Amino acid sequence: MLGRDLLLHALQNQATPRAAWVPFVGVHGGRLVGVTAADYLRSADLLLRGLHLARERYRPDGLPVVFDLQLEAEVLGCELRWADETPPAVASHPLVNADLAALPRYDLGHGRFPVVFDALHRLRADFGGEVALYGLITGPFTLALHLLGNAIFLQMRRDPAGVQRLLDYCAGIATQTARGYLEHGADVVAVVDPMTSQISPKHFEEFVAPRVNAVFDAIRAGGAVSSLFVCGDARRNLEALCRTRCDNVSIDENVPLELCQELAAANGKSFGGNLKLTTVLLLGDAEDAKLEALRCLEIGGTNGFVLAPGCDLPYGTPPENLAAVAEMVHNAYQRHVAATTLRAKAAVDFSDIVLPDYAGEPAVVVDVVTLDSASCAPCQYMVSAAQEAAQQCPFPVAVHERKITTHAGLGYMQKLGVEAIPSICIDGRPVFASLIPDGQTLIEALRSADAAKGRG
């Protein structure tokens, strides 16, 4: 069975000879061809070269053409901040001081969509039926965050009707984008809505579910299969996610793969995930990658399971680690050898990481533990929330981002007792875990911490 067919069977919750395998090669393709992420995401030729190399080295069943949740926002007038090793980040929110009528007309002939569609069309011809191609679109709630910023969390309470209108608009954008990908040859359309991990189940059902369902209906009407991809600790919303009308639910390492399997099966859906991005694929070695792949493969089995990293692969992911995962997928003998001969390595030593004496610090110290705010939308908005609240406090507040893509960040995560990404810790205590607070709630928490230092 060709890889494309195997993946499509798995996504439709069917039994397959082995687990399907989709490395989400986004800016990592730039590393493969030796260019920056900024150059890579602006060139169809570079996208083509990167994905051909990924196909050769990682033997995937499917690949995304691009993993960039800012494409739609860019067309709609959001300014982008570019970087060498991450996708661009949204740097402005046009609806902060305007209404929907002020946004530019959405046109898939604008922005970088012509580049992406050119690459998709050429890849379809090159790959034929061997590799399925994903079109990744920005989910309605995440796009709404890009357009309105963190104010959306307050507006969900103050002006729910206004937020509903915004989300209807964003769902229309997602549907239009999905149709564009299908017209240019995509086999799968994934709605990537990482910000949905930051809201309650009630808000998900009220604001998000009807909109993503409309998008999934359009994808199905276009003859393709769909996936709902969420990052962060989405456990509170996982059952609701599985009740939507997608074909597949994919999660990252914040959510136990066993739980996703159970809830997806109960709703007749396939599931995907959840190779560890930083501790294994980025910072580990090939042996770590093999053991992590075995963990997922043993849980996932071969009925409706897609092995994949939990998000866009970091730019600097060692290619040998992904090749090691591919070996576990394709070679049953090597899986047996790995299972019987490899031993887990000793735990990483973080004795060199020393936490501050928070009680003695002159400022309230905020540690925002993230994947990386430059590439992870929930992380970006969590850091922004902390910085904005700090600026409004009449007492000193020091905000530090602790990225778990680094040894020091991982050490802070472990020593602060953080279990979900992103999280806000205040004076050494986790306070907001994978749930972005509104500004006033965060300011009150900072005020309480300042009072505890004997100044309030």
Side-chain angles (χ1 to χ4, degrees), residues 70-370:
Q70 290 66 236
L71 286 166
E72 296 92 337
E74 184 178 20
V75 174
L76 292 171
C78 293
E79 297 175 3
L80 301 186
R81 182 173 60 249
W82 288 87
D84 288 344
E85 295 191 0
T86 64
V90 168
S92 69
H93 310 290
L95 294 184
V96 169
N97 297 307
D99 57 25
L100 283 171
L103 294 178
R105 182 176 68 88
Y106 190 68
D107 188 335
L108 292 174
H110 293 167
R112 288 176 290 125
F113 279 109
V115 168
V116 174
F117 290 157
D118 179 27
L120 171 56
H121 182 77
R122 292 158 66 186
L123 287 165
R124 177 78 290 146
D126 291 351
F127 289 176
E130 294 186 12
V131 179
L133 292 168
Y134 275 66
L136 303 187
I137 64 177
T138 308
F141 193 71
T142 298
L143 181 57
L145 260 291
H146 288 337
L147 295 173
L148 184 58
N150 281 334
I152 195 171
F153 296 108
L154 186 59
Q155 293 299 96
M156 288 166 74
R157 294 201 300 272
R158 288 185 174 177
D159 183 19
V163 175
Q164 300 274 15
R165 287 192 296 273
L166 172 58
L167 288 169
D168 284 338
Y169 171 83
C170 292
I173 296 296
T175 297
Q176 188 176 338
T177 309
R179 288 173 177 153
Y181 274 111
L182 295 178
E183 288 168 4
H184 287 86
D187 301 290
V188 184
V189 177
V191 176
V192 188
D193 214 346
M195 296 306 301
T196 57
S197 65
Q198 304 299 303
I199 59 177
S200 69
K202 177 180 179 295
H203 281 157
F204 180 87
E205 294 282 11
E206 178 182 357
F207 291 101
V208 180
R211 280 82 195 180
V212 293
N213 280 334
V215 181
F216 296 138
D217 290 345
I219 295 168
R220 185 167 291 109
V225 294
S226 62
S227 177
L228 177 54
F229 199 147
V230 60
C231 306
D233 188 357
R235 280 175 288 187
R236 66 173 72 87
N237 290 328
L238 191 57
E239 188 170 1
L241 290 163
C242 290
R243 287 198 300 265
T244 63
R245 293 198 287 271
C246 62
D247 296 298
N248 169 269
V249 174
S250 289
I251 46 91
D252 72 9
E253 63 203 75
N254 283 276
V255 177
L257 193 58
E258 299 92 332
L259 178 61
C260 188
Q261 179 184 42
E262 175 187 344
L263 293 175
N267 288 276
K269 290 179 171 53
S270 62
F271 67 110
N274 68 344
L275 292 166
K276 295 178 180 177
L277 276 179
T278 55
T279 55
V280 174
L281 295 182
L282 177 62
L283 301 177
D285 59 20
E287 183 176 299
D288 298 322
K290 287 182 178 181
L291 289 169
E292 174 65 4
L294 282 172
R295 177 189 71 83
C296 294
L297 290 168
E298 289 171 356
I299 296 168
T302 56
N303 198 109
F305 176 57
V306 179
L307 178 68
C311 198
D312 182 14
L313 288 165
Y315 180 92
T317 303
E320 56 268 25
N321 289 357
L322 297 168
V325 174
E327 187 69 17
M328 294 298 97
V329 170
H330 288 281
N331 193 320
Y333 174 72
Q334 289 299 326
R335 288 198 298 274
H336 175 73
V337 169
T340 55
T341 63
L342 293 180
R343 295 292 181 266
K345 292 184 174 181
V348 178
D349 181 11
F350 292 116
S351 59
D352 58 317
I353 306 301
V354 180
L355 298 183
D357 174 15
Y358 290 105
E361 288 289 320
V364 174
V365 179
V366 177
D367 296 298
V368 190
V369 184
T370 71

Side-chain angles (χ1 to χ4, degrees), residues 25-39:
V25 176
V27 294
H28 174 71
R31 152 120 184 219
L32 293 179
V33 298
V35 300
T36 66
D39 288 339

